[in-house]
Amino acid sequence: MEVATQAPSHLSPVLARYFQRNWTHGEGHRLFDSDGKAYLDFSCGIAVTVLGHRHPHVTAAIHAQADRLLHTCNGLGYLEPVTALADALARVLPEPLDSVFLANSGTEAVEGALKLARRATGRPVIVAFSGAFHGRTYGSLSATTSNPNYQRGHEPLLPSVFISPFPDVYRLGEGDEDRATALALDALDRLLAEVGAESVAALLIEPVQGEGGYNPAPAAFLRAIRQRCDAGGMLLIADEVQCGYGRTGRMWGFESAGIVPDVVTLAKAMANGLPLGAIVSSRALQERWGMGAHGSTFGGNPVCCAAALAVLETIERDGLVANAAARGAELTAGLCALMARDERIGDVRGPGLMIGLELVRDRATREPDAELAAGVMARSADLGLLLLTCGTAHNVMRWIPPLDVTAAEVNEALGIFETALTG
Ligand SMILES: Cc1ncc(COP(=O)(O)O)c(C=O)c1O
């Protein structure tokens, strides 16, 4: 984070800000500050604006719906863009994920998924994974360990939430995927034996961990936990808030393992910037939740849903999942070439356009270099590229360009990043 240079305002100081700049407008893949300076926006408002800024199809859909109806609560009946969005999501998700509850944000989606899991199974325990970020409200926060500052002092948290080690290939596995998988599975099995699998409602996992450091869960691990869920009557909840929607070069993060979760949580990219989240499962599972068990005044706002329909249409029409895979391969190749020349890059990882680049003091010890990461982020911004850090040790540069990023923009960003790294 940059050191605050602005005079204190009436905005709460509790919110940490990556930059101390005033943002005025956006156009395509550029964000502009109040000095009129343009930045290539590879932050996407933290993995949200997957189609960039002022996308004509999304903006038109928003205007059209705003002219028709801004709000009535979904609890009052049916709204055309809401029903159409649920249909579209059911179409792009694998069977049997065809029943959609709409919320306003990622944390609400996770919160609702935990409630669904407990009530539908009649079991109390939720198992989440170390380094995860699921949100800031009490349920999702209880499963969030990406940064101790998030939970600290907010206790007591939700009871019966247990944390098992995430199969972090670079650190837990020391670079060996099989080792990370075996160690994490062993720990999970011990935990399940201790708490009793029959008391576990759900396993909650990000198929590619986001805030915790852009760590993909090995496919073998995802398949193994799917098996354990099937055997033990536990639900598998995939938190796709950050890794879903084409980000990984596939529509959904869990696809890489060839599994289908019982529940999927969505938000961020859904409406390219308007607040929207979703909990998706089979209809049979949501029926077990029971009518009236959950609700929301704003969830499924028709303007947000109209935008979300335009986002899905654009992703499909313009082949943006394939673009994410192709541009992601180019970006990864460029970053790996840089790693070959620069000892301070310890790891480059992640599928599609969800790439983590780990900065370390020493490749052998893997000691994180958060200071370098903060410096590179600040210098990149000065040079006109917005890149964010993440990771439990704040030393991972995360690469989350828009899904429709071009090869020229990937090259431009690589050039700026190299300059910022050497600067
Ligand atoms: C994987 C994941 N889940 C949940 C959330 C929470 O989403 P929100 O900030 O919209 O509440 C985030 C936010 O970064 C996330 O990355």
Side-chain angles (χ1 to χ4, degrees), residues 105-107 110 133-135 206 211 239 241-242 267-268:
S105 63
T107 196
V110 172
F133 185 92
H134 295 293
E206 297 163 88
E211 306 299 308
D239 183 347
V241 165
Q242 192 153 168
K268 287 199 183 279

Side-chain angles (χ1 to χ4, degrees), residues 333-343 345 348 363:
L335 295 174
C336 286
L338 211 56
M339 180 163 74
R341 300 196 289 277
D342 195 322
E343 282 287 308
I345 301 177
V348 172
R363 267 196 195 161

Side-chain angles (χ1 to χ4, degrees), residues 189-409:
D189 286 339
R190 273 186 279 119
L191 175 65
L192 292 176
E194 267 164 39
V195 299
E198 66 290 346
S199 67
V200 177
L203 269 50
L204 167 64
I205 191 163
E206 297 163 88
V208 182
Q209 206 168 63
E211 306 299 308
Y214 277 36
N215 282 311
F221 184 79
L222 291 175
R223 284 196 282 269
I225 63 172
R226 174 69 276 179
Q227 262 173 1
R228 281 158 177 76
C229 285
D230 289 341
M234 306 175 283
L235 298 176
L236 180 59
I237 305 174
D239 183 347
E240 294 265 340
V241 165
Q242 192 153 168
C243 69
Y245 259 78
R247 174 62 50 205
T248 61
R250 299 174 196 260
M251 192 63 194
W252 310 111
F254 60 75
E255 279 179 63
S256 63
I259 59 156
V260 178
D262 299 294
V263 183
V264 172
T265 54
L266 308 173
K268 287 199 183 279
M270 282 186 84
N272 205 47
L274 290 188
L276 192 61
I279 306 160
V280 191
S281 76
S282 69
R283 183 165 187 89
L285 187 56
Q286 302 234 2
E287 274 169 359
R288 276 161 62 195
W289 202 355
M291 190 180 287
H294 196 55
S296 169
T297 299
F298 290 119
N301 170 273
V303 181
C304 302
C305 290
L309 274 169
V311 169
L312 274 182
E313 280 163 14
T314 307
I315 289 177
E316 289 187 299
R317 186 196 61 201
D318 295 351
L320 295 185
V321 179
N323 191 62
R327 302 290 82 75
E330 291 164 5
L331 186 50
T332 296
L335 295 174
C336 286
L338 211 56
M339 180 163 74
R341 300 196 289 277
D342 195 322
E343 282 287 308
R344 298 169 300 168
I345 301 177
D347 194 29
V348 172
R349 56 176 176 254
L353 290 174
M354 189 162 183
I355 303 166
L357 179 145
E358 184 127 4
L359 292 170
V360 290
R361 288 185 203 282
D362 177 352
R363 267 196 195 161
T365 63
R366 296 185 166 83
E367 189 192 339
D369 195 342
E371 220 176 292
L372 177 60
V376 170
M377 185 180 76
R379 284 193 291 281
S380 294
D382 290 343
L383 294 165
L385 170 68
L386 290 185
L387 273 184
L388 303 179
T389 55
C390 66
T392 50
H394 316 291
N395 67 316
V396 179
M397 308 302 306
R398 59 170 130 183
W399 292 79
I400 27 167
L403 298 181
D404 54 356
V405 69
T406 64
E409 288 166 336

